[in-house]
Amino acid sequence: MTNALKAIDLQANTHRPAPTPLTGAEIIWATLVGEGVTTVFGYPGGTILPAYDALRKFPIKHVLVRHEQGAAHMADGYARASGKVGVAMATSGPGSTNLVTGIATAMLDSIPIVCITANVSSKLLGTDAFQEVDITGITLPVTKHNFLVNKTEDLAPVLRHAFQIARSGRPGPVLVDITKDAEQTSAVFDFEAAKPRPYRPHPMLRVTDQGLAEAADLIRNSKRPVILAGHGVMESGAMEQLRTLAERAQIPVGLTLLGLGGFPASHPLNLGMMGMHGEAWLNDAIQESDLLIACGMRFDDRVTGKLTSYATKARKIHIEVDPSEVNKNVKVDVALVGDLREVLEMLLPRIGTRDGSVWIKTIEASKGAVSVRDIKNLPDSGHLYAAHVMHDLWRLTGGDAIVVTDVGQHQMWEAQYFRHEKPRTLITSGGLGTMGFALPAAIGAKFACPEKEVWVVAGDGGFQMTAAELATIVQEKIKINVAVINNGYLGMVRQWQEFFYESNYEATPLVSPDFVKLADAHGIPGRAVRTRAEVEDAVRTARSAKGPFLLNFLVEKEDSVYPMIPAGSALHEMIRRPGNDPLEERAGDE
Ligand SMILES: Cc1cc2nc3c(=O)[nH]c(=O)nc-3n(C[C@H](O)[C@H](O)[C@H](O)COP(=O)(O)OP(=O)(O)OC[C@H]3O[C@@H](n4cnc5c(N)ncnc54)[C@H](O)[C@@H]3O)c2cc1C
Ligand SMILES: Cc1ncc(C[n+]2csc(CCOP(=O)(O)OP(=O)(O)O)c2C)c(N)n1
Ligand SMILES: [Mg+2]
């Protein structure tokens, strides 16, 4: 057994082994092992070679990506699917700058990842040496924190601190940049001694008795309450507590895009997604509400529309872990600043049963005919709509799959028509809205949950941004199904051009390769799907294939996502689907 592996034994923690001298390169891996990391996503190069050279001594799986952006998205997808910290690695210069979009994507959605980059040797720093960039400077605004390490003895404490920062409080990405000489020289490795000081919550994190009492009073006296549940439900693991609150007080629940799956789609109190492309009845209910209970959501502009006319009749309770989010976009009456699950556990004993039936019936009535129309029963017009594809994908997988979407119209149709029952089954870039996210993030999700069925749902535009990662799927021999929603356009931008720029389709018609042939070039089977009648068999074939499978859905080219609140308009000022269209805005249940 090498010294390095002996050092890893200390994970067992049964006794404290003697501190061991290791090279910096070995310390990186030994610390990752100690932190419980089993998989990293990365791409090598000159300055990070010492670390790659030491990798063979450690029980860590390295996934070779095709572009470092893919490594960051894979780490992100791994974190979103598992709730653990994802890890990406890159070399100096272009390797590290290629990570930036992936880091910003994780930052905007509060995802815990640690990115390890190498830099030139410390004596060359600041000399414009070959492949030198100031990656800590570049990523300062898009990381929760970052470090530059140029001393081997600092490596273990800094890396351990990085993991603590990434996963504590409001999670987020942390970057650790390591000079080449710090990888090459040796120091004593003592995992236990490198433990960071215990995480101390922000001093403003406090939930007072008075705050809890005020919140309970508001809930008791409210006639038209709505719970707004967000991504924080998943991040704090508060699904049960949220459900108890909703059921006990009979309060309907609306979800943000990133909150989907935090409350079961089939639950009678679930009103679906709120906001720009959310359910009309939910947006109307928010505008009519007298009490909003925001749980782990940050009142994003896609959610509120025009702030001055947002839910003006409602008092507001905000349960949120990051004090800087409170009163940022929407002024609230009661702020309970802390971890959502803990706060709900403190609040629930004060919540009694309520009769919410009048308000719930009012909302039900506002759904009108839309809620009872079943998309499957609409006559087949010969056209294939993305909505059909999403609905069938949900039906045929029994909703029991992880769906990783890209960004655009297909992302919104997925949110509307695939009904997520469980947390962490929708993985999507919400805050940055990063095209190219889906394929690499799905690879990360599959490594996190190898037993789960994983589907990529991507547009023809975004898929081309990171399609090179098909080769990673093949090299790693993993089973992922890919659904390209191919409308021949950068569809979401085309929709904005149609609505707001007099249908001037500048730079949005898109010529694509034959995606089935592209898959074939990678050794991945595929099929083009042109009609609704073919969807079911195609999905079944993809699911039953042993390896990855690609479906190229050639859908209606100029369909739009409805409803839509134009940017800057009030929540109730929705553009609705024009009448007599073959598709209703929303499908009802089966
Ligand atoms: C094309 C496009 C269209 C979109 N349209 C819509 C739309 O129609 N509707 C919609 O909802 N979104 C839409 N989005 C997504 C939108 O931009 C935001 O990403 C999303 O609304 C944010 O949801 P969130 O606030 O729940 O999650 P986040 O942005 O992740 O915020 C989570 C909040 O929870 C807090 N939190 C984290 N952990 C905890 C914890 N343990 N305890 C308590 N609080 C915690 C965080 O501090 C943060 O404030 C769209 C995105 C795109 C790309
Ligand atoms: C990296 C990046 N560049 C540009 C955009 C702006 N944008 C948002 S949606 C979209 C169109 C996406 O087209 P496609 O992938 O074909 O999906 P569709 O909307 O057609 O479903 C564009 C260009 C973005 N979100 N991300
Ligand atoms: Mg498209």
Side-chain angles (χ1 to χ4, degrees), residues 156-228:
V158 166
L159 281 165
R160 292 203 68 182
H161 196 188
F163 275 84
Q164 186 192 50
I165 294 170
R167 61 164 81 98
S168 58
R170 178 178 187 170
V174 180
L175 180 131
V176 182
D177 193 30
I178 302 168
T179 59
K180 190 170 185 183
D181 52 326
E183 291 176 78
Q184 288 168 319
T185 51
S186 295
V188 169
F189 174 61
D190 186 341
F191 186 76
E192 271 309 300
K195 192 174 172 180
R197 275 182 294 170
Y199 166 67
R200 292 225 319 275
H202 194 285
M204 281 174 69
L205 286 195
R206 73 199 138 84
V207 177
T208 58
D209 261 4
Q210 192 193 336
L212 291 167
E214 283 174 16
D217 272 355
L218 285 176
I219 292 172
R220 191 176 315 110
N221 296 324
S222 159
K223 301 238 171 328
R224 301 183 306 280
V226 181
I227 293 173
L228 307 180

Side-chain angles (χ1 to χ4, degrees), residues 496-512:
W496 282 52
Q497 289 171 327
E498 180 187 334
F499 289 6
F500 313 117
Y501 294 87
E502 294 161 344
S503 297
N504 177 19
Y505 294 165
E506 190 67 50
T508 45
L510 187 66
V511 172
S512 296

Side-chain angles (χ1 to χ4, degrees), residues 219-299:
I219 292 172
R220 191 176 315 110
N221 296 324
S222 159
K223 301 238 171 328
R224 301 183 306 280
V226 181
I227 293 173
L228 307 180
H231 191 197
V233 174
M234 250 87 81
E235 300 211 289
S236 73
M239 286 73 67
E240 274 313 304
Q241 292 74 4
L242 173 72
R243 193 174 170 148
T244 307
L245 173 66
E247 287 176 354
R248 192 182 297 167
Q250 284 299 298
I251 304 177
V253 179
L255 296 154
T256 66
L257 174 68
L258 295 186
L260 293 175
F263 189 75
S266 60
H267 195 287
L269 289 168
N270 190 322
L271 297 180
M273 184 171 81
M274 65 186 85
M276 180 176 271
H277 293 294
E279 308 295 358
W281 56 78
L282 170 56
N283 287 338
D284 284 338
I286 290 170
Q287 293 298 72
E288 286 307 311
S289 167
D290 66 356
L291 178 66
L292 297 180
I293 308 159
C295 297
M297 55 82 74
R298 62 182 173 89
F299 293 108

Side-chain angles (χ1 to χ4, degrees), residues 227-481:
I227 293 173
L228 307 180
H231 191 197
V233 174
M234 250 87 81
E235 300 211 289
S236 73
M239 286 73 67
E240 274 313 304
Q241 292 74 4
L242 173 72
R243 193 174 170 148
T244 307
L245 173 66
E247 287 176 354
R248 192 182 297 167
Q250 284 299 298
I251 304 177
V253 179
L255 296 154
T256 66
L257 174 68
L258 295 186
L260 293 175
F263 189 75
S266 60
H267 195 287
L269 289 168
N270 190 322
L271 297 180
M273 184 171 81
M274 65 186 85
M276 180 176 271
H277 293 294
E279 308 295 358
W281 56 78
L282 170 56
N283 287 338
D284 284 338
I286 290 170
Q287 293 298 72
E288 286 307 311
S289 167
D290 66 356
L291 178 66
L292 297 180
I293 308 159
C295 297
M297 55 82 74
R298 62 182 173 89
F299 293 108
D300 181 84
D301 55 75
R302 260 45 190 164
V303 159
T304 60
K306 188 171 157 193
L307 280 170
T308 48
S309 52
Y310 179 67
T312 49
K313 301 172 193 163
R315 311 288 293 276
K316 285 139 196 137
I317 301 170
H318 197 181
I319 311 177
E320 164 61 58
V321 79
D322 181 353
S324 67
E325 287 295 344
V326 175
N327 291 324
K328 187 178 89 176
N329 296 335
V330 170
K331 301 276 171 272
V332 298
D333 298 272
V334 178
L336 300 173
V337 185
D339 174 72
L340 179 64
R341 188 172 58 181
E342 289 171 17
V343 175
L344 286 178
E345 270 165 5
M346 287 187 261
L347 183 62
L348 281 170
R350 299 171 185 256
I351 304 295
T353 51
R354 265 180 80 257
D355 178 8
S357 57
V358 175
W359 173 227
I360 290 166
K361 276 187 197 135
T362 310
I363 299 173
E364 274 305 314
S366 76
K367 291 183 180 177
V370 174
S371 66
V372 294
R373 294 285 294 274
D374 183 343
I375 188 172
K376 278 204 322 154
N377 299 331
L378 295 173
D380 187 346
S381 62
H383 297 248
L384 179 62
Y385 288 89
H388 294 144
V389 178
M390 291 306 133
H391 180 76
D392 281 351
L393 201 55
W394 164 70
R395 201 168 51 82
L396 295 165
T397 57
D400 192 23
I402 297 178
V403 183
V404 187
T405 81
D406 219 79
V407 170
Q409 291 183 313
H410 62 280
Q411 178 188 28
M412 295 297 108
W413 282 314
E414 197 284 345
Q416 293 180 342
Y417 289 93
F418 195 105
R419 301 167 61 75
H420 291 275
E421 293 293 317
K422 293 186 191 151
R424 303 188 185 280
T425 58
L426 169 59
I427 293 179
T428 194
S429 165
L432 198 67
T434 307
M435 287 171 70
F437 174 79
L439 183 61
I443 296 173
K446 186 68 184 177
F447 273 97
C449 304
E451 74 296 346
K452 290 287 286 187
E453 178 175 349
V454 175
W455 278 85
V456 169
V457 171
D460 41 344
F463 183 66
Q464 291 185 65
M465 286 197 170
T466 52
E469 302 300 346
L470 284 175
T472 310
I473 293 184
V474 175
Q475 181 162 354
E476 296 300 334
K477 301 187 177 61
I478 51 176
K479 161 82 178 155
I480 288 178
N481 296 318

Side-chain angles (χ1 to χ4, degrees), residues 459-461 485 487-491:
D460 41 344
I485 306 301
N487 53 10
Y489 279 104
L490 299 174

